[in-house]
Amino acid sequence: EPGRRVVERAWARPLAEHLAADAAHVWHPYTRAARSSRVWSVASAKGVRLSFESGEEVIDGMSSWWAAIHGYNHEALNAAAREQL
């Protein structure tokens, strides 16, 4: 399954490599276009809460404006995504 292989290769990459690629190629909404903002490494997400690698936790009050209107790590959406991989 090609999709599964892509996901497995992505999981095998070191976190620092993902963060570097993010910093080089992704503009995050509500940040300045000139890249000097910190990139937060999310360890887990559930509902409206994001837990960072640092141990800090925040409520994501902006996600419903974009792609996470149903919250993060939603079981029905996870199942639908798994079926498509």
Side-chain angles (χ1 to χ4, degrees):
E1 302 166 13
R4 185 172 306 277
R5 285 192 300 263
V6 168
V7 170
E8 288 170 356
R9 282 195 310 267
W11 278 107
R13 292 172 60 189
L15 177 60
E17 193 174 317
H18 284 284
L19 294 176
D22 181 279
H25 302 289
V26 179
W27 174 72
H28 296 269
Y30 301 103
T31 61
R32 296 181 299 177
R35 187 62 142 171
S36 64
S37 300
R38 175 179 174 191
V39 177
W40 295 83
S41 177
V42 176
S44 65
K46 182 73 176 173
V48 299
R49 297 185 185 279
L50 299 173
S51 298
F52 300 117
E53 294 285 338
S54 66
E56 296 169 276
E57 184 178 278
V58 297
I59 294 175
D60 185 353
M62 303 299 281
S63 64
S64 66
W65 292 13
W66 299 93
I69 194 164
H70 298 292
Y72 295 100
N73 208 9
H74 191 285
E75 294 200 22
L77 298 177
N78 291 350
R82 275 192 299 277
E83 288 176 17
Q84 295 178 46
L85 290 177

